Amino acid sequence: MGDKFLFANSEKEDADVCIFGMPFDSTTSFKPGTRLGPRAIRDASYNLEFYSMALERNIRDIKIFDAGDTGFYTNPQHAISEISEQTRELLKSDKFIVGLGGEHTVSYGIAHAMKEIYKDVAVIQFDAHADLRTVYDFEKFSHACVMNLIGNDIGFENIYQFGIRSGEEEELKFAEKTNFFPLHKYDTAQILEILDELNIDKKVYLTIDIDVLDPAYAPGVGTPEPGGITSNEMFKILNSLKKFDIVGFDVVEVNPMVDMSGITAMLAAKIIREGILNFR
Ligand code: MN
Ligand code: MN
């Protein structure tokens, strides 16, 4: 195991894809530990093959740079600010971004910079939770508020939410303004149909909260929510997302402190390999 992703094979200047970690988890009070997520996902990547049987492609054919982690902060605004700065710099040099969380708050840092650079941007979220609260535990820069922050930035009509099966009545008022596809009404087969028909005429950022998967597949998360999708369904969904103009994605909320056998980190690493191979 090493400091970098197994398939990080390039220097920054040559790379098409840039991976970076965001070890932030300060607003996660229930089960902290996602600050260790980037490390665990990198370690798990050493169990992967370079070749994807499903996609018939080898990740060695893509130039990937691992930039390491952003700094460690306990103040969410400091973390967000550095993540935005990192994202802006990478987008200006045309890198495809892959972010490793960290708690979900970090995705706001990336989406905020994307909005600045591209003006028109949509965000597709896969998550068990709506994350649309205005404030959580006296903090508005929180994992439970991340889609509300992003909505205020890019417009709620540019948010697409899938896999959701948990939300308070108050935050679900905001779901009326987003493209909201809760899992009890839209299962994976229907999600695939929706994605097939959907057209998004702008740059798309994809955020994957690993708790969208059922806790049976992804037990190592801060806020497990029973009744989720399977690993194979996630891979099918990734494949159907490649029609969009995806400019980056993240995998957040992997918590090695509660990840039996490291299976959640393993799944995250494979999602990252399959994501890169689908989108590049
Ligand atoms: Mn989330
Ligand atoms: Mn979640």
Side-chain angles (χ1 to χ4, degrees):
M1 296 188 226
D3 295 335
K4 294 179 184 306
F5 244 94
L6 174 64
F7 32 79
N9 55 4
S10 277
E11 291 309 312
K12 190 174 182 181
E13 305 74 54
D14 308 323
D16 172 40
V17 173
C18 182
I19 297 176
F20 63 95
M22 299 165 285
F24 175 76
D25 66 3
S26 297
T27 81
T28 307
S29 40
F30 182 50
K31 284 182 186 176
T34 61
R35 71 181 67 175
L36 303 170
R39 169 85 276 153
I41 300 170
R42 285 190 182 94
D43 283 351
S45 73
Y46 285 77
N47 185 50
L48 288 172
E49 304 285 3
F50 290 95
Y51 184 72
S52 165
M53 278 182 71
L55 301 174
E56 299 183 350
R57 286 190 70 200
N58 194 313
I59 199 145
R60 279 201 181 102
D61 296 335
I62 300 174
K63 293 194 168 100
I64 300 170
F65 171 67
D66 187 335
D69 291 348
T70 52
F72 176 71
Y73 302 94
T74 52
N75 179 312
Q77 284 172 269
H78 290 168
I80 288 165
S81 159
E82 185 180 327
I83 292 162
S84 289
E85 200 177 301
Q86 164 92 305
T87 305
R88 270 192 294 272
E89 196 231 322
L90 294 171
L91 292 180
K92 281 177 186 160
S93 50
D94 279 329
K95 305 298 184 201
F96 180 90
I97 283 175
V98 178
L100 317 175
E103 62 165 66
H104 212 161
T105 315
V106 300
S107 304
Y108 175 60
I110 298 177
H112 182 67
M114 292 222 162
K115 164 75 177 167
E116 278 178 23
I117 301 281
Y118 295 126
K119 310 296 179 223
D120 254 355
V121 61
V123 172
I124 297 179
Q125 173 204 14
F126 282 85
D127 199 327
H129 310 91
D131 290 348
L132 285 167
R133 292 174 202 244
T134 50
V135 65
Y136 182 69
D137 205 12
F138 305 103
E139 177 59 68
K140 93 174 191 183
F141 295 99
S142 160
H143 61 99
C145 310
V146 65
M147 298 314 293
N148 200 313
L149 292 165
I150 292 174
N152 281 318
D153 222 18
I154 70 166
F156 285 90
E157 71 280 9
N158 293 314
I159 290 178
Y160 298 81
Q161 302 184 278
F162 296 97
I164 314 296
R165 54 192 184 275
S166 173
E168 289 283 5
E169 288 145 304
E170 181 232 327
E171 67 178 310
L172 292 176
K173 281 185 211 141
F174 290 95
E176 291 164 18
K177 302 200 278 175
T178 71
N179 303 280
F180 190 65
F181 304 101
L183 197 56
H184 67 281
K185 287 190 188 158
Y186 303 91
D187 65 13
T188 300
Q190 289 158 305
I191 290 171
L192 292 171
E193 277 173 34
I194 290 163
L195 292 174
D196 195 42
E197 284 163 27
L198 186 63
N199 283 307
I200 303 177
D201 197 15
K202 46 190 76 169
K203 307 276 189 202
V204 174
Y205 184 65
L206 170 66
T207 180
I208 301 170
D209 181 329
I210 198 84
D211 68 28
V212 71
L213 287 117
D214 192 90
Y217 300 87
V221 298
T223 45
E225 184 68 33
I229 68 172
T230 72
S231 305
N232 268 329
E233 287 169 353
M234 188 74 240
F235 295 127
K236 281 182 189 156
I237 289 167
L238 285 175
N239 193 238
S240 71
L241 288 166
K242 70 177 177 192
K243 62 181 266 197
F244 299 110
D245 186 10
I246 294 184
V247 287
F249 70 96
D250 62 46
V251 179
V252 298
E253 295 286 348
V254 172
N255 185 345
M257 301 294 282
V258 290
D259 191 17
M260 292 172 291
S261 311
I263 54 180
T264 313
M266 190 66 244
L267 175 61
K270 186 162 178 180
I271 287 173
I272 289 160
R273 187 192 73 188
E274 298 295 281
I276 293 171
L277 286 171
N278 269 301
F279 305 143
R280 303 311 290 169

